Structures are given as structure tokens and as C-alpha cells.
Amino acid sequence: MAEIRHRRVGSRRWLACAAAVTVSIAFMADLPEVSASAPSISVNTSQVVAPAEYFTDVFGDAMDFNNGEDFETTSRYKVVDGAAGLSNGQLTTAGSGQIFFLRHDNGSWPLAASRDSMSRPLDAGFYNRISFKMNSSVAGPSALSFRNCFAPGCADGTKYFMMQAGWHTYDLDMTGGNDLEEQVGGAPPVVGTPWGGYIGYLFMSPAFNTPNKPTLAFDDFQIYRGTSAIGINFGSGGSATTDLWSQVAGQAANRVGRIGTAGSTSVSGGILRPGETAHFWTTDSGASSAQSGPVSMGATSRPSPAVLTPSETGGGDWATEVRGDPWDFEQASDASTVNANWSVGGGEGHGSTAGPTVNDPGLILNLNGARVDAGLYHKAMFTIRYDGTWGLEDRAGSGMNARLLWHIAGAPGGSMQISDDLVMGTWQRTYVVDLKTNPPTAILDPAGNPSPVGWGSGSSVFIDQLRLDPHEDRGSRNWHIADFKLLRNEAATPDFNIKFEDRTLTPGTTARIVIDNDRNPNNGALALLSGNTPVTPGVNSFGWNGALVGPGSYWIQLTLTNPSGVSTTVYSTGQVDVGQAKSSAPPPPDMSGWIKLFQWLAFVCAPRPTRVGKRMVMKSACSKAPAKRRARARSRRR
């Protein structure tokens, strides 16, 4: 099996280079004639339930290759070598030995926009199967390799399978061999560390034992929780070469696997997709059985919930609310640069390489002399794209890691807090970085901060400079930024509308809504808000009084259950604040010491009954000396 090659540059991984390409592969099938000599076939069900699926549930977007967010085809990022393209709802690759479906680079801060596995952890104990529709130009031994945590020393595991030529729907049991895929040369189904924990990366090595890598087309890629199985019974006449086939209307015939003389078997319902209906049959020595009855996966057999508010992209923007002018780069004065040329046009800011330090460009956001309340505004959101190639090495044509830097009001002039690496893709993406972490220093580069403080904590409550360093390329590189926002969380004041929807709604579905301190469904939730709210088509709104809980920042956990008892649980992408609102301007200076001094002086200097000559008068101990005495005193000082 091909290995990931490593060359340490700080904590970055080195990967081999590739070029982009678009390949189109059509469906085709050439089936044998129906013959009574092939085993007859029947199925035990006509309906299966759509499974819970990782990309759909956690990112809110299936990896069906219908949009650019599904997969970045830039050479060397997700496709390590060879070439890749997205077209007509397919991912196509040519000559690639490693294709990443999940990736986290050690030493970087995770970003959901790049589908970094650390940003939305994959719970391998829950999502235990992988299915994908793929066409290959050749057959050959292949593998899915994975790492079960995020540290450099984590253990690796591999699931082997035989890749078939042509179209095939692969369905793999990542915990063992409960699938019909052919094994590779008698190798165990899984070697190395078992599938479990939280997956740090996942990549495919197609035809790993040959230098000539295949041309592939993917219709989709799913990581799902095992769902109801389809029981299949066979009549007499099977032999060691009997194969099981399936077909969905309008698609290529799919060789499920070799069943031999077995009288019955089962197939995971995960070989179907929502809205599909399949028929099964057998082939043997050029003869084909009649097809089975239909088996369908209902398009709405599982709820598909999404929490719309609170959102990671929601909340007020500091530049709009305080500066009075958003950083939309409609004018060059929105920002200035160091080590870069800068211009605006076409609704974007454009940066290009300049000296004296070419691998340290910086975009300094114009604060107009105001200060940022970092305890309130803490989510940096920016939309950016790059020209040129991709890589993380410290050389020309690489350095595709960005950083955010900020200066704490009152700190020494040259001191900056520097974030950890942000791995950038070249395609246009909108990145969201929550700078307020626990502990506060978690967001910082551990090697680049002599005096680490963090964001929005302790002495860093107010920020007077904010800077984006878009890359660290030692060569020439252009970059284009559409906007930059610094957002606060949405807030309950104390009322808040939790908005959600079910994208595959079945009438009679109900919602369970809870608030949680984190996004981990395995450690319990904080408080139940609603246990049986009816769900209607379109956007639903649930009014919540935040005064019923203590101050804090909370996630929303949403569980939708349809009338068949099938449930799906998801979390909001952002938090809602309760009792957390702060001033967006620096507080007034601390006057408590002066106030105490004035109170003491008022007590000491208060008029009191005093004998002057033969009379009692009200006199202050702080009254001025007689004019003559003052004059004599001035004379002595001279």
C-alpha cells in the first residue's frame, strides 16, 4: 500500500504534486440473458430506511459532488497526485494514488469550510459503514486508510477491498467483514488499529499495487450508520461462481458481490440512496435469473433536520455596528497592507506579492481608531480565494496557510498575538474562525507567541489592531478577498427564536429541542426546551425565554422524529448568548480610588463648631490661612 510521505515544516505535512483535470464517465452495462439455469431470487422486504449519514448530519451537506464545497480538486490538497475535477455531479480523478475524503493537518486550526475532520469530528463508534458509487477504468486491490485521532503519533488502520472495473456501489463494514466486497489476496478485512474513536483522516488508495493509477468517477461518498438489511433468498442451482447483482432504474447494473452456493445472504440497505428503488438478480456462467421484487429507500424515510439559528455566521458585525462601515472592500481604505500590493475592484480586495518579506503579507483591517470588545466580538469570517498552486511547504508555490494576528490595547507596540496555522484551499471559500477558545491560548501558535494571552480574556478584552496574513508563500501569489466580518454570537434578550427545518419532512414529525454546553451528544444535554413540537413545512420557529437558564453561551441540539419512529439528531453551527452582552466600547477609567479620596477629604474638611476668640463658629480644618500669614509664608520661601 502507498504511504503518506512526511516532511516536517513546523507541523505541516508534505504531499506530492498534481494537476487539475475534468473527466466524464458515462453509465454502461452489458447484462447476460435471463436463463432458468440461474438461481431464482426473492427479497424479504420492499422498504428500507435511509441511514444516518455523517456529511449530511454534521456538515448539513451530503458529499454528492453537486457543489464545490463537497470536495476541493486543487492538486495536492485532497487529491495528492494525479488530477481531479468536479462536473455534472461527479468527482473524477486520473492517475491519483491517494484521495482524501477527510483530512486534518497537524499543527493547524480546524476549519469547517475545508471539511477538516477536527472541525466536525467523525464519531466512528456511531458511523460505522462507508458506501460510494464509483466507476473505475480497471480492477485491482484497493484500500481505505484512516487515523483514529488527531495527534501526530496516532495509530493507523486500513480496510482492504477489491476495486471492480466499471460502475459499482461499494458498501464496506469498517469494523470488520460484514459486506460482500471481495477480499484482497486473503488479507483480513481490517488491519492495524480498528475503526473507532474520532477519525483524523480518511483516504483511498485505488489499485495500490500498480504504478498506473486508474481513472475514477464518484457519484457520491457516504459515511453512515448501519441501517436495516435486505434479506435475499436463492433457489437451487447456485455454484461457486454465482454473483449477486442489483440495479436502480436509469443507472448501471451493479455487481454486489460473489455469493457462491449460499442459500441466502443479506445486503446493507446502504447500497441504496433515498428515493431509489432497486431489483436484484443472480448471474452464473453467462446465465441470469429473473429479477426480484422491488426494494425502495423512501426519500423521506429519515428526517433531515437543520438548525438555522443560532448559526456560526449569525450575530452582529463589529465593523457595521461600531465602525459604521463594513469591511466589504468597496474602497481601498477598508484596509491597508504590509509586504503586499493592494487594490480594490469588482467587489473584492486584491493583494499580490511585494517585499521586503514576501512570505509575510498582511492585511490590516481599518478600525478607524476604535477598539474591539473581544469578549463580545470573537468570530472572524472572511471569503477569500487564491491564484496558483497548493502546498504547505516553506517554498515558492506553496505556503498555503494563513494566520490571524491582533494587538491587545495597552500592550507594547510591537507585540502581537498570532493564531495557529489556518490551512487554506485555493477555491473561494467562506472561512469562520472562533477566536475565543478554552483555554484562551488554544487558538495561538505555540511557537510564535512569547507572551501568549489569547482573545477576549484577561488583558486581551480590548483589541486595537486586527490583521489577516493570507499566506506564507515564498514565491509570487495573488489573493482576492470579498469581505471580512468580526461577529458576535446571536443573543437571547431574553427571548430568542430558534429556527429549524426538516428537508425531508413527513407529516406528523415532531421536534425535541434542548440546550447544551457543547456539541457532544454522548455526554448529556443541559436543559430540555421542548419535547414534542410539531414540525411544519419550511422554516419552523420556536420561541425561547433565555432568562430561564443562567448566563452563558449555548448550543442547540435538535432531534426530529417521524411517525415511523425514525430519529435524527443535529446541532446548531453557532451558539446563542444568554446574559453575555458587553459594551462595544472600552469602559471608563477606574475612578474608585479618586472617589474614596474625595470621600475622605469631604469628611476631614467638613465644617465643625470651633471657638474663635470668644465666639463659637462653624469652621473647616481645610480653610485657607489668613492672607497676611500666607504672604509671610511666601516671603520665607523666597
Side-chain angles (χ1 to χ4, degrees), residues 338-342 350-361 471-479:
V338 294
N339 298 318
N341 298 313
W342 173 247
H350 306 281
S352 60
T353 299
T357 309
V358 297
N359 69 328
D360 191 27
H471 65 80
E472 295 181 2
D473 192 344
R474 290 194 178 275
S476 178
R477 185 178 293 277
N478 299 329
W479 43 277

Side-chain angles (χ1 to χ4, degrees), residues 431-514:
Y431 300 92
V432 180
V433 186
D434 196 335
L435 298 167
K436 191 174 181 180
T437 57
N438 185 17
T441 55
I443 186 64
L444 300 179
D445 181 351
N449 290 275
S451 301
V453 177
W455 179 279
S457 176
S459 63
S460 68
V461 170
F462 292 96
I463 305 300
D464 59 13
Q465 185 176 342
L466 179 61
R467 166 176 161 173
L468 169 67
D469 285 10
H471 65 80
E472 295 181 2
D473 192 344
R474 290 194 178 275
S476 178
R477 185 178 293 277
N478 299 329
W479 43 277
H480 316 273
I481 184 165
D483 60 19
F484 191 106
K485 293 182 173 66
L486 190 61
L487 303 173
R488 52 184 170 85
N489 286 342
E490 296 169 83
T493 59
D495 295 325
F496 183 79
N497 283 328
I498 299 169
K499 295 183 179 180
F500 63 94
E501 65 180 348
D502 185 354
R503 292 161 294 184
T504 55
L505 178 64
T506 299
T509 296
T510 58
R512 181 177 186 269
I513 306 170
V514 303

Side-chain angles (χ1 to χ4, degrees), residues 512-530 544-559 569 571 575-578 580:
R512 181 177 186 269
I513 306 170
V514 303
I515 59 171
D516 206 342
N517 288 320
D518 56 29
R519 303 180 76 227
N520 184 353
N522 300 320
N523 61 3
L526 182 65
L528 175 68
L529 305 184
S530 171
W544 169 51
N545 184 350
L548 300 178
V549 300
S553 298
Y554 301 103
W555 304 94
I556 301 300
Q557 182 196 83
L558 172 68
T559 300
T569 297
Y571 275 87
Q575 294 173 287
V576 56
D577 281 348
V578 176
Q580 296 293 304

Side-chain angles (χ1 to χ4, degrees), residues 406-417 464-465 467:
W406 57 94
H407 181 261
I408 299 168
S415 65
M416 298 288 283
Q417 299 289 297
D464 59 13
Q465 185 176 342
R467 166 176 161 173

Side-chain angles (χ1 to χ4, degrees), residues 80-349:
V80 176
D81 45 12
L86 280 176
S87 179
N88 300 319
Q90 290 182 4
L91 166 67
T92 55
T93 69
S96 180
Q98 291 177 342
I99 304 166
F100 277 82
F101 296 98
L102 285 174
R103 171 175 171 169
H104 171 73
D105 290 277
N106 293 321
S108 68
W109 191 255
L111 300 172
S114 57
R115 299 214 171 178
D116 187 311
S117 54
M118 193 174 180
S119 71
R120 302 283 193 269
L122 167 58
D123 183 352
F126 185 83
Y127 299 102
N128 54 14
R129 298 187 73 94
I130 291 179
S131 179
F132 50 95
K133 292 184 177 182
M134 183 180 76
N135 184 305
S136 174
S137 59
V138 300
S142 303
L144 284 168
S145 297
F146 54 88
R147 176 165 288 176
N148 67 353
C149 64
F150 301 101
C154 291
D156 298 338
T158 299
K159 168 73 175 181
Y160 290 106
F161 65 96
M162 280 298 296
M163 183 174 64
Q164 299 185 26
W167 281 103
H168 180 63
T169 300
Y170 296 83
D171 188 79
L172 301 168
D173 173 16
M174 298 304 292
T175 63
N178 185 22
D179 51 62
L180 294 178
E181 306 298 339
E182 294 182 29
Q183 299 300 303
V184 175
V190 179
V191 298
T193 191
W195 180 263
Y198 290 92
I199 302 301
Y201 65 61
L202 173 69
F203 68 89
M204 179 185 294
S205 298
F208 57 77
N209 65 343
T210 174
N212 298 317
K213 302 305 177 187
T215 298
L216 304 175
F218 294 85
D219 248 19
D220 61 17
F221 190 91
Q222 298 189 351
I223 308 173
Y224 74 97
R225 181 171 179 80
T227 185
S228 52
I230 304 167
I232 301 176
N233 299 311
F234 307 100
S236 60
S239 72
T241 56
T242 299
D243 290 335
L244 175 65
W245 290 73
S246 70
Q247 186 169 29
V248 173
Q251 298 183 15
N254 177 61
R255 180 177 173 273
V256 178
R258 180 142 293 174
I259 58 169
T261 59
S264 63
T265 190
S266 65
V267 176
S268 171
I271 69 169
L272 293 174
R273 304 295 185 262
E276 289 185 349
T277 297
H279 295 265
F280 296 87
W281 70 93
T282 62
T283 61
D284 194 354
S285 302
S288 174
S289 73
Q291 292 187 355
S292 73
V295 179
S296 299
M297 178 177 284
T300 60
S301 57
R302 174 174 293 278
S304 298
V307 181
L308 307 180
T309 60
S311 166
E312 66 179 350
T313 62
D317 168 44
W318 181 88
T320 301
E321 296 182 342
V322 180
R323 181 176 178 260
D325 182 13
W327 292 311
D328 53 13
F329 307 116
E330 294 291 337
Q331 57 276 333
S333 60
D334 281 347
S336 59
T337 58
V338 294
N339 298 318
N341 298 313
W342 173 247
S343 64
V344 298
E348 292 182 320

Side-chain angles (χ1 to χ4, degrees), residues 580-637:
Q580 296 293 304
K582 298 182 177 67
S583 169
S584 60
D590 184 1
M591 302 293 292
S592 59
W594 288 102
I595 291 172
K596 291 179 180 179
L597 175 61
F598 294 150
Q599 289 173 338
W600 179 80
L601 288 174
F603 171 77
V604 170
C605 298
R608 292 176 173 80
T610 306
R611 182 179 295 275
V612 178
K614 295 181 179 180
R615 293 185 305 136
M616 296 293 293
V617 298
M618 299 297 292
K619 185 178 180 181
S620 168
C622 303
S623 60
K624 295 180 180 179
K628 291 183 179 180
R629 187 180 299 170
R630 292 201 304 272
R632 286 196 298 269
R634 284 197 297 271
S635 177
R636 284 196 296 270
R637 284 197 295 272

